[in-house]
Amino acid sequence: KRLGGCIIGTVILLLSIPPLTSQALEPRESRTVKDSRGEALTRVKRGWVWNQFFVLEEYTGLEPLYIGKLHSDMDRGDGSIKYILSGEGAGIMFTIDDVTGDIHAIQRLDREVKAQYVLRAQALHRQTGRPLEPESEFIVKIQDINDNEPKFLDGPYHATIPEMSEIGTSVIQLTATDADDPTYGNSARVVYSILQGQPYFSVEPQTGIIRVSLADMDREVKENYSVVIQAKDMGGQLGGLAGTTTVNITLSDVNDNPPKFAQRLYQMSVPESAPVGSAVGRIRAKDRDTGINAEMNYSIIDGDGRDSFDISTDPTNQFGIITIKKRLDFESKRSYTLKIEGSNTHLDKRFAKHGPFSDTTIVHVSVEDVDEPPVFDAPAYFVEVAEDAEVGTVLKTAYARDPDVANNSIRYSIERTSDPGKYFYIDITSGALMTVRPLDREEVPWHNVTVLAMEMNNPSQIGSVSVTVKVLDVNDNPPQLAQYYEAFVCENAKAGQLIQTVTAVDPDDPLGGQHFYYSLAPEAANNPNFTLRDNQDNSAWVLTRRGGFSQRDQSIYRLPIFISDGEQPVQTSTGTLTVRVCSCDGSGGVLSCDAEAYTLPTALSRGALIAILACIFVLLAMILLMLSLRNQRKKPYLCDEEENVHENIVRYDDEGGGEEDTEAFDIAAMWNPRGTHLGRFRQDMLPEIESLSRHVPQAAVAGAGIGGGTGGVHGYVLAKLLEADHDPGAPPYDSLQTYAYEGEGSVAESLSSLQSATSNADHDYDYLSDWGPRFRKLAEMYGVLETSNPLCCLY
């Protein structure tokens, strides 16, 4: 590199010498010339000479790299001239000696980063700084060295070629990039070679095209290849730099392999009850190819089961699925043989020599016996029967058989949900379907009955068939008026005036359609008021025979109409047309059809009538209320001597107030047994008979509710009894008071007859006289003692 610098410096110096040509730079003096007009022109010769500078890249020396020298012919070597440098990289990449003009590179240069630098130089007077020469540009070009190896920018690469490709088939073209200068030397001249991948592939040295170099490469043997390619500069010579890349090559599939079945014979079985369309089994012809090259088509090409079975291809995994095409019957045929072919759907003529691309196999299908339900001789039955058929008429005899070899006996029945009206019955052994109730087409025109057939030995096996029964029409219904007809006729109507059009309906449905005939009933054939005209279109007109109708004479006429149909047997009926006589205006508008309207004042409206009736109703209600209140007055009541008075019963002629009567009983007394309510009387009524007061000891009253148990209850009862004796307004009024502890501590014990087992006739009451004066009255009532008082008072 130092040598290069010297050479450049020499060149520079040589360039500083004016060339000896007519175009050469002349010495620095003025030359005067004349133009075409004779005027003098002065040209000053350039003072110094310059050119391009060249420097090698990647200098690694310790000293600055000398590039060249700038020199002005005005420089006498006395140091009066100062050289300055400006432009790209001045002061950073390049420096100049301001006295000698020597230019050096002070940093490492890389052509691949920047190939040239544009600089500007100028010579100044050192003392005054005055420019001695005009500023001029020059270029420093970086010369290339081989410092960059070739590179594959897009690697690693992937390529795909069909298997069985011929030798020379292009796979992929690679291009390596060298950053060195392709115009300078061989630094960027790249040569390609293959380092890995022989003998399958090769590469062209100049173009980088990879080609197949081995014939009949089979994907099914080896699918993927890894090829290493080298790119070397300097034309591949020794010392050149090299770069490598990897190319992954995949062989794509072609249809070069025929399908093959794994077995020559397949065994399958299927129950005879399997439905049509169900799968029996599946087979597969294996193909080493993939994708569309392995797609299969299966077909049955021979065998006795071609009509009973079918085969289809599963597109997902290329299986052949055998299905049932026709219903199987073990009793008819127990096995089938199928010859099945599997073939490729996409063929490649280039590899026809590897064929044929199909294979065949045999499939043996065995039918398994299944206990099947009974089968009827028809899928459905249709029966027509007249609605007047007698009960017990046989409509149809259903027949079913057991399809199995055992041929079990059959029993028939009707599914009751299909015959909710229970119109039919079927013989359990013969299958004869008959009626058990009269049929009526107008009620149920169609019957859909399900007949069941069951095996005797296996009741779970049940077959069924639908029997459709159409009930045929019979003329068994008389025609009737289509509706309730009520017509009116005006008092001023004239003879022959139409007052009503009547029609009839008949639930029967004859084949020729309905035909009705109208006439007046025989008892009204000579009716002087109205006549009837049959229109012969299933309608009739009712006309007036006369005029001059009057509401006062007769306000309502009832006209019997005789109707008959045209079918056999003929059915007839009589309907009634009600005709009201109304008063009408001049245009025929009805004013009133009520005869009583004539007796009312003309100014009395319907609203006034309603108001009068409402007042009458209110008055009646008030009268009834007053009578009810009067009946509630209390009357004295005499007891019946023959009545059983063993219970402490007080009778009143008034009913109690019920649940809503809050004045009859104070519930607070039940919660506070010690409380007293003496002096409280009902305000609404008073009893006529007060209970006779017993003397209740105060000690018993004070001890009520104390201590609990039997004594507490006894005290509570005594307290309530005392309150009832002194409070005529307290209950009961119409009630029964039963004291569970009555008679305790008394010689009479309990006086209740509820526990008595004897009647009045055989019961002896003589012991009442032994109980003392307190039971004297009681003894008198039962005849033990003589008394002159016939009245009794309850104790």
Side-chain angles (χ1 to χ4, degrees):
K1 292 185 182 293
R2 296 291 294 175
L3 179 59
C6 295
I7 293 175
I8 293 173
T10 304
V11 172
I12 296 297
L13 293 175
L14 291 176
L15 290 173
S16 299
I17 301 174
L20 302 177
T21 63
S22 59
Q23 300 296 329
L25 296 176
E26 297 180 356
R28 184 183 177 83
E29 65 266 358
S30 300
R31 173 182 292 181
T32 303
V33 296
K34 295 182 179 180
D35 59 7
S36 60
R37 295 177 295 179
E39 297 179 358
L41 297 175
T42 301
R43 184 179 67 180
V44 180
K45 181 184 175 183
R46 191 184 181 107
W48 56 287
V49 180
W50 61 277
N51 207 336
Q52 292 183 351
F53 292 94
F54 296 87
V55 60
L56 291 175
E57 65 173 336
E58 302 295 344
Y59 171 68
T60 58
L62 298 178
E63 299 295 332
L65 174 63
Y66 179 75
I67 297 177
K69 184 179 181 66
L70 295 178
H71 181 73
S72 174
D73 55 2
M74 297 179 64
D75 188 357
R76 301 290 184 253
D78 55 1
S80 62
I81 295 178
K82 180 180 180 181
Y83 296 98
I84 62 174
L85 188 66
S86 63
E88 295 178 341
I92 301 174
M93 305 292 296
F94 306 98
T95 61
I96 187 171
D97 190 323
D98 61 352
V99 177
T100 62
D102 294 335
I103 301 174
H104 294 81
I106 60 176
Q107 289 193 14
R108 184 177 179 179
L109 303 176
D110 189 352
R111 189 199 68 83
E112 287 72 36
V113 177
K114 192 171 181 62
Q116 65 180 19
Y117 295 86
V118 179
L119 298 171
R120 293 183 296 275
Q122 192 173 23
L124 303 176
H125 191 278
R126 188 176 295 277
Q127 297 298 329
T128 63
R130 180 176 60 82
L132 301 178
E133 297 287 346
E135 185 180 62
S136 298
E137 288 185 349
F138 65 94
I139 298 175
V140 177
K141 289 190 174 182
I142 312 300
Q143 285 185 326
D144 183 53
I145 64 172
N146 189 21
D147 59 343
N148 292 280
E149 73 279 2
K151 294 182 179 180
F152 295 93
L153 302 180
D154 299 327
Y157 298 87
H158 297 273
T160 302
I161 60 168
E163 62 175 330
M164 299 294 174
S165 296
E166 298 179 354
I167 296 176
T169 301
S170 176
V171 179
I172 190 174
Q173 183 177 10
L174 305 180
T175 301
T177 303
D178 196 322
D180 294 327
D181 189 357
T183 63
Y184 181 78
N186 294 326
S187 299
R189 183 185 172 192
V190 179
V191 175
Y192 301 93
S193 61
I194 185 169
L195 301 182
Q196 177 183 316
Q198 298 98 339
Y200 308 104
F201 302 96
S202 62
V203 63
E204 293 183 357
Q206 305 300 326
T207 62
I209 298 176
I210 300 177
R211 297 184 182 276
V212 176
S213 60
L214 183 64
D216 297 334
M217 286 190 293
D218 193 354
R219 183 198 66 85
E220 288 73 32
V221 176
K222 185 175 182 180
E223 183 176 5
N224 298 307
Y225 296 85
S226 180
V227 179
V228 178
I229 300 298
Q230 174 183 268
K232 190 174 184 182
D233 59 12
M234 299 300 291
Q237 297 178 3
L238 186 64
L241 303 178
T244 61
T245 189
T246 300
V247 182
N248 296 313
I249 301 175
T250 302
L251 299 183
S252 61
D253 185 59
V254 297
N255 193 8
D256 59 338
N257 295 280
K260 293 292 181 183
F261 284 103
Q263 300 175 216
R264 294 291 92 187
L265 177 65
Y266 292 88
Q267 295 284 349
M268 298 181 183
S269 61
V270 58
E272 62 174 337
S273 60
V276 174
S278 59
V280 177
R282 61 182 186 175
I283 59 175
R284 181 182 181 185
K286 294 184 178 180
D287 193 328
R288 299 175 63 191
D289 298 322
T290 60
I292 62 172
N293 298 313
E295 290 182 0
M296 303 294 299
N297 180 49
Y298 297 93
S299 60
I300 302 175
I301 61 176
D302 199 3
D304 57 0
R306 298 178 63 179
D307 296 334
S308 300
F309 298 92
D310 199 0
I311 188 169
S312 60
T313 303
D314 183 356
T316 303
N317 47 32
Q318 302 302 316
F319 279 102
I321 302 175
I322 301 174
T323 57
I324 299 175
K325 186 178 181 181
K326 188 172 65 174
R327 186 177 179 277
L328 303 178
D329 187 5
F330 173 82
E331 290 72 26
S332 300
K333 190 172 180 59
R334 303 187 179 187
S335 65
Y336 296 87
T337 299
L338 307 174
K339 186 177 182 180
I340 298 178
E341 180 186 63
S343 59
N344 287 136
T345 57
H346 300 277
L347 301 180
D348 194 334
K349 296 181 180 180
R350 296 176 301 169
F351 308 104
K353 61 182 180 180
H354 297 281
F357 289 88
S358 63
D359 194 18
T360 59
T361 188
I362 302 298
V363 178
H364 185 268
V365 181
S366 299
V367 180
E368 298 176 348
D369 187 24
V370 175
D371 190 4
E372 301 173 274
V375 178
F376 286 88
D377 58 352
Y381 296 113
F382 176 77
V383 180
E384 292 182 341
V385 59
E387 62 177 326
D388 61 349
E390 295 182 359
V391 173
T393 301
V394 177
L395 307 180
K396 182 71 177 179
T397 300
Y399 175 73
R401 65 176 182 86
D402 183 5
D404 298 320
V405 177
N407 194 17
N408 293 319
S409 299
I410 304 299
R411 292 294 179 265
Y412 301 92
S413 62
I414 295 176
E415 186 181 14
R416 282 307 168 192
T417 58
S418 65
D419 184 24
K422 297 182 180 180
Y423 288 94
F424 305 98
Y425 166 79
I426 191 169
D427 187 86
I428 190 172
T429 57
S430 66
L433 182 65
M434 61 190 71
T435 60
V436 293
R437 284 184 55 189
L439 302 178
D440 188 355
R441 189 201 65 85
E442 289 72 35
E443 181 181 352
V444 183
W446 292 85
H447 297 269
N448 293 310
V449 181
T450 300
V451 175
L452 305 177
M454 179 184 66
E455 291 184 12
M456 285 291 293
N457 296 339
N458 189 359
S460 63
Q461 296 299 327
I462 301 175
S464 64
V465 68
S466 176
V467 180
T468 301
V469 180
K470 179 181 180 181
V471 182
L472 301 179
D473 183 54
V474 174
N475 191 27
D476 58 347
N477 291 281
Q480 303 285 343
L481 288 178
Q483 63 186 35
Y484 171 75
Y485 287 101
E486 185 176 58
F488 71 92
V489 60
C490 294
E491 290 181 316
N492 56 1
K494 298 180 180 180
Q497 181 175 335
L498 174 66
I499 61 172
Q500 182 66 51
T501 300
V502 296
T503 59
V505 294
D506 190 340
D508 293 324
D509 186 18
L511 296 177
Q514 300 283 5
H515 298 283
F516 301 126
Y517 303 95
Y518 302 87
S519 64
L520 292 179
E523 63 270 19
N526 299 320
N527 190 296
N529 302 308
F530 304 98
T531 184
L532 184 141
R533 178 187 300 173
D534 192 340
N535 298 324
Q536 302 299 320
D537 61 353
N538 291 338
S539 68
W541 288 351
V542 177
L543 308 172
T544 58
R545 188 183 291 271
R546 66 176 179 86
F549 291 92
S550 174
Q551 286 184 336
R552 295 176 179 270
D553 297 338
Q554 186 173 348
S555 62
I556 297 178
Y557 295 88
R558 289 179 174 82
L559 188 65
I561 299 176
F562 182 80
I563 310 169
S564 64
D565 55 21
E567 300 297 321
Q568 294 297 328
V570 176
Q571 300 289 336
T572 62
S573 69
T574 301
T576 301
L577 170 65
T578 301
V579 182
R580 292 183 178 273
V581 179
C582 302
S583 60
C584 304
D585 55 16
S587 60
V590 176
L591 296 177
S592 174
C593 294
D594 191 358
E596 287 75 5
Y598 290 98
T599 63
L600 296 176
T602 56
L604 192 60
S605 64
R606 180 176 297 179
L609 291 175
I610 296 175
I612 293 173
L613 292 176
C615 293
I616 294 174
F617 177 78
V618 172
L619 290 175
L620 291 175
M622 294 178 63
I623 292 172
L624 292 176
L625 181 60
M626 294 175 63
L627 293 176
S628 176
L629 293 176
R630 184 175 181 180
N631 290 333
Q632 290 181 1
R633 294 179 179 177
K634 301 178 180 59
K635 300 178 181 179
Y637 179 79
L638 298 179
C639 66
D640 189 357
E641 293 184 355
E642 296 181 0
E643 184 180 0
N644 190 349
V645 292
H646 285 198
E647 299 296 336
N648 184 17
I649 300 176
V650 179
R651 294 185 178 273
Y652 297 85
D653 60 351
D654 294 330
E655 293 183 354
E659 293 179 354
E660 297 181 357
D661 188 358
T662 58
E663 297 293 333
F665 180 71
D666 186 8
I667 193 65
M670 298 297 295
W671 300 105
N672 185 13
R674 300 179 182 181
T676 57
H677 302 273
L678 299 178
R680 179 180 175 183
F681 294 88
R682 280 179 59 97
Q683 301 299 322
D684 54 348
M685 62 183 69
L686 294 176
E688 294 183 354
I689 304 175
E690 296 186 5
S691 299
L692 296 178
S693 175
R694 298 193 201 177
H695 174 72
V696 180
Q698 294 299 322
V701 175
I706 300 177
T710 303
V713 175
H714 178 67
Y716 168 75
V717 172
L718 291 178
K720 297 305 295 180
L721 179 60
L722 179 63
E723 176 185 341
D725 289 341
H726 291 82
D727 184 8
Y733 297 135
D734 189 13
S735 62
L736 172 66
Q737 290 188 350
T738 301
Y739 300 95
Y741 296 94
E742 63 175 341
E744 182 178 351
S746 171
V747 294
E749 298 182 350
S750 175
L751 300 181
S752 174
S753 63
L754 298 179
Q755 302 297 329
S756 176
T758 60
S759 65
N760 295 337
D762 57 0
H763 192 78
D764 185 8
Y765 298 101
D766 292 340
Y767 58 86
L768 294 178
S769 59
D770 301 332
W771 287 358
R774 298 182 59 185
F775 298 96
R776 180 178 180 83
K777 292 292 184 182
L778 186 61
E780 291 176 354
M781 287 189 296
Y782 280 87
V784 178
L785 298 178
E786 293 183 357
T787 178
S788 59
N789 187 10
L791 296 179
C792 68
C793 296
L794 297 180
Y795 176 75

